[in-house]
Amino acid sequence: MIGGSTAERELAELKPWPNPAPAITREERLARLAKAQSLMTTDALIIGAGASLRYFAGVGWNATERMVAMLLPKRGEPVMICPRFEEGSLRASLGIEAPMRLWEEHENPAVQAAQVLAEWGAASLAIDPALAFAMFDALRLAAPEVVMVNAAPVVDGCRSIKSPAELALMSQAKAMTLEVHRRAARILAPGITTGEVRRFIDQAHRALGADDGSSFCAVQFGEASAYPHGLPGEQKLQDGDLVLIDTGCRVQGYNSDITRTYVFGQPTQDQLRVWQVEKKAQAAAFAAVKPGVLCEEIDAVARRVLAEEGFSADYELPGLPHRTGHGTGLSIHEAPYLVRGDKTPLQPGMCFSNEPMIVIPGEFGVRLEDHFHVTEDGAAWFTPPQPAIDRPV
């Protein structure tokens, strides 16, 4: 690694996070299930493996072709659907108590789910919006008499409002990533590659005790920063390049996602002006946050700042090519969204990114991304925004 001794020294100084946030308790998960039942307009709900199953049942498994799911009745206790050979692992992962219906490899798990619904007398079922179509289709065929609807109002109605315990886990994840940003800036040197920086960031997240290193990492130098999600291949750092680093990690499943854009060397007047407008737009979006304000209004506020400064008020470039922000929690991106058309009223406990990027095609881009949560009278940053174009932290 170019500047390897610096990187090694930075990594050697890192230790696991000294005051880890407590885990989500069984009692909190039971309260989540009760809230889901209060929001349900159907007789039952199905949640497949993924972030929502972790939210409700504590099972941090990714979705595969095998059905692992929770069935929740409008009244009563949940039932887990699971491959028989995974029973022990699932029981060890569960954060609640629930009986299991087990299926063998040659069997159709949708039939097991349909049998449970029949036992409950369920005539309607809310489907996890993240459930694979193949599983939905199998359920539809196994229970043709059951009316099936989208469970997004229930899932989002629960997950969009974070508890104090969730906010604490998210705060830890974001503080860890900000520390990684601080140290990544210190290893930069002429000729270092984007790949070398990504590897350092992953190792740094691991050293701090993140669930699995970096959950993602985008490193972009120079013109590549004009592409919101970068370009394929490696870049080497040169004097005067803008450096855009967007990265995050997970702590007990909860995500961080912070972007810093700064100059390596001395900024040009154009770079400095665009960075300052970006900073102004991000600050205006944050200041506009109040309970009851519609999500789309936060996006509109950022775009009005850009329009006043001579950039597009829509998606044309130079300007902001994407939404101003996204909800975040157990998924990096989750509902609701700070985007035109999302008329969800802001509520205390909602958490969002704030990242009204400015792209100058063929030259560079600037994205400052920090996260906030809605409070009773406004918003609170999880981590302090970037102070200057030559100071990432």
Side-chain angles (χ1 to χ4, degrees), residues 60-74:
W61 293 12
N62 294 324
T64 70
E65 78 282 5
R66 294 184 174 98
M67 181 185 285
V68 175
M70 179 190 75
L71 281 168
L72 180 68
K74 176 68 175 172

Side-chain angles (χ1 to χ4, degrees), residues 55-266:
Y55 179 83
F56 288 112
V59 180
W61 293 12
N62 294 324
T64 70
E65 78 282 5
R66 294 184 174 98
M67 181 185 285
V68 175
M70 179 190 75
L71 281 168
L72 180 68
K74 176 68 175 172
R75 294 175 183 82
E77 304 302 319
V79 169
M80 303 300 299
I81 307 294
C82 176
R84 184 175 296 276
F85 76 92
E86 295 280 30
E87 179 184 3
S89 297
L90 186 62
R91 288 195 187 279
S93 301
L94 272 175
I96 57 172
E97 295 79 28
M100 295 190 185
R101 294 297 179 92
L102 306 174
W103 55 277
E104 302 289 6
E105 284 281 73
H106 67 282
E107 294 177 327
N108 180 358
V111 172
Q112 290 275 17
Q115 288 173 352
V116 174
L117 295 175
E119 291 166 15
W120 289 344
S124 55
L125 177 66
I127 305 287
D128 181 353
L131 194 73
F133 176 79
M135 293 183 189
F136 161 75
D137 197 44
L139 284 167
R140 180 182 60 82
L141 295 173
E145 73 288 350
V146 175
V147 175
M148 299 186 183
V149 301
N150 190 348
V154 177
V155 173
D156 296 344
C158 292
R159 286 181 55 187
S160 65
I161 308 296
K162 272 62 180 183
S163 70
E166 291 179 286
L167 295 178
L169 289 164
M170 293 172 71
S171 293
Q172 179 184 334
K174 295 171 203 304
M176 289 164 63
T177 291
L178 194 64
E179 181 62 23
V180 170
H181 269 292
R182 183 196 314 276
R183 292 174 182 272
R186 297 204 290 242
I187 73 164
L188 297 183
I192 196 170
T193 68
T194 50
E196 287 173 313
V197 178
R198 284 195 304 273
R199 287 188 288 275
F200 170 84
I201 288 172
D202 179 68
Q203 290 175 296
H205 273 132
R206 291 178 188 279
L208 288 172
D211 288 358
D212 48 10
S214 298
S215 54
F216 69 98
C217 185
V219 179
Q220 298 152 235
F221 297 155
E223 185 184 344
S225 66
Y227 298 82
H229 290 152
L231 292 170
E234 296 280 274
Q235 298 120 42
K236 290 186 177 181
L237 186 61
Q238 302 179 48
D239 189 61
D241 277 348
L242 277 185
V243 175
L244 190 158
I245 299 177
D246 184 352
T247 188
C249 70
R250 285 186 290 265
V251 172
Q252 297 185 42
Y254 285 88
N255 283 277
S256 61
D257 177 9
I258 299 175
T259 306
R260 290 291 178 261
T261 304
Y262 46 95
V263 70
F264 182 72
Q266 294 297 312

Side-chain angles (χ1 to χ4, degrees), residues 258-307:
I258 299 175
T259 306
R260 290 291 178 261
T261 304
Y262 46 95
V263 70
F264 182 72
Q266 294 297 312
T268 66
Q269 286 302 306
D270 284 345
Q271 290 171 339
L272 181 58
R273 176 180 177 268
V274 173
W275 193 95
Q276 290 171 336
V277 174
E278 166 76 357
K279 177 79 169 174
K280 183 178 178 182
Q282 188 195 41
F286 178 81
V289 174
K290 298 285 189 300
V293 173
L294 303 187
C295 283
E296 67 175 359
E297 175 59 17
I298 308 306
D299 182 72
V301 166
R303 293 182 188 281
R304 284 197 287 271
V305 170
L306 299 187

